Amino acid sequence: MGATLEIRDLTLRFGGVTALDRLRLSLAPGTVLGLAGPNGSGKSSLINVLTGHYRGEGSILLDSEQIDHLAAPERVRLGMTRTFQAPRTYRRMSVLENLDAACHAFRPLLRNRSVRRCETKEMHAQLERFGLGHLAHALPDQLTPVEQRLLELARAHVTGARLLLLDEPAAGTTEAEAHHLRQVMAEHVLPGRTAILIEHRLDFLRALCSELVVLQAGRMLAQGAPDDVFAKAEVRETLMGEPVHA
């Protein structure tokens, strides 16, 4: 089951610039929340505060436990993981080794040989599910951009994290590749988890998210079901440049 997440009056400032302004959100287990907004609206800043890479003001509760005082590794151990706009992998490790390393971030490192053999079989099975089985021994730099995206998603999946923070998982892909990523996420990554999904492809958000928030200048512009939010004139103007008529 996915985690619960509550954000209370979250504020982040860089000098005189306010990146997040008293943001409040509440996610029930299994909610997939889409996060949209123009560049600089605070989307990635929110993920960076949730993961502990930035320190803001306000409160963050994961499964009713306050975590805003915790360092990033401690938040990972509580069941939170993220992906990045530009996939981050271990470049000198194979695809299989990258998956194994992500798994170990959440599990004890000391195992006997029989357990390790079973886990290796499971990692191979996971690579097959993500369409990367034939690339198990390749290095990340040998993968195509969409294959690197799939590896990033596979790494997030095998952690077993209950809260996923996904920062533009389809960035830089073609429409066909984005459609494939969307299918993989719907089938393997998102079920049974709570997630925040940042994406500029609005069809991506509409297809995968049960709820949508639009940010503008660090503040919430709109929140609700995706179709209802996209129907708002101020959202269409912000996201698609459509003029608002009084």
Side-chain angles (χ1 to χ4, degrees):
M1 179 182 290
T4 61
L5 177 68
E6 189 170 353
I7 299 168
R8 300 174 180 170
D9 296 321
L10 194 61
T11 299
L12 177 67
R13 296 184 178 91
F14 298 104
V17 177
T18 301
L20 296 170
D21 192 359
R22 293 169 295 177
L23 192 65
R24 299 178 67 91
L25 284 173
S26 182
L27 275 67
T31 300
V32 179
L33 174 72
L35 201 58
N39 290 333
S41 60
K43 304 184 300 297
S44 294
S45 291
L46 174 59
I47 286 185
N48 284 326
V49 173
L50 291 176
T51 55
H53 290 88
Y54 294 160
R55 288 297 177 97
E57 303 168 12
S59 300
I60 304 168
L61 286 82
L62 182 64
D63 288 330
S64 301
E65 179 180 347
Q66 192 160 346
I67 65 167
D68 40 276
H69 63 289
L70 298 179
E74 296 176 272
R75 301 186 195 197
V76 168
R77 284 191 286 271
L78 289 176
M80 175 191 301
T81 195
R82 68 168 298 176
T83 64
F84 294 86
Q85 292 179 19
R88 297 188 183 183
T89 55
Y90 298 109
R91 297 178 62 186
R92 296 187 179 182
M93 296 171 63
S94 70
V95 167
L96 180 62
E97 290 168 335
N98 266 273
L99 212 62
D100 198 42
C103 179
H104 286 160
F106 280 73
R107 302 178 188 178
L109 290 173
L110 297 177
R111 297 171 173 82
N112 61 42
R113 290 183 180 180
S114 63
V115 171
R116 291 288 295 151
R117 282 196 295 270
C118 290
E119 288 185 346
T120 299
K121 289 181 180 179
E122 173 60 20
M123 292 301 101
H124 277 285
Q126 293 290 358
L127 288 177
E128 291 292 342
R129 292 186 184 99
F130 283 79
L132 299 172
H134 63 296
L135 296 167
H137 301 293
L139 295 175
D141 286 351
Q142 296 173 301
L143 307 185
T144 66
V146 69
E147 289 168 346
Q148 292 181 13
R149 294 278 175 197
L150 287 165
L151 176 57
E152 182 99 327
L153 290 171
R155 281 166 48 86
H157 173 66
V158 300
T159 64
R162 294 175 300 111
L163 175 62
L164 300 179
L165 307 171
L166 308 171
D167 197 350
E168 297 190 35
T173 60
T174 66
E175 288 301 320
E177 291 168 343
H179 180 73
H180 177 60
L181 288 169
R182 193 173 78 192
Q183 289 181 312
V184 169
M185 292 172 64
E187 185 173 350
H188 298 300
V189 180
L190 295 175
R193 288 179 164 128
T194 305
I196 295 179
L197 170 61
I198 297 174
E199 186 52 61
H200 285 289
R201 283 183 162 92
L202 303 187
D203 59 330
F204 212 90
L205 297 175
R206 195 189 300 268
L208 294 176
C209 299
S210 53
E211 190 173 346
L212 181 68
V213 163
V214 178
L215 295 181
Q216 186 178 43
R219 295 183 177 181
M220 190 182 299
L221 178 67
Q223 181 179 17
D227 286 342
D228 294 338
V229 171
F230 286 137
K232 295 179 182 292
E234 62 270 28
V235 170
R236 295 199 306 272
E237 181 186 37
T238 298
L239 298 182
M240 294 167 266
E242 295 183 10
V244 174
H245 299 290

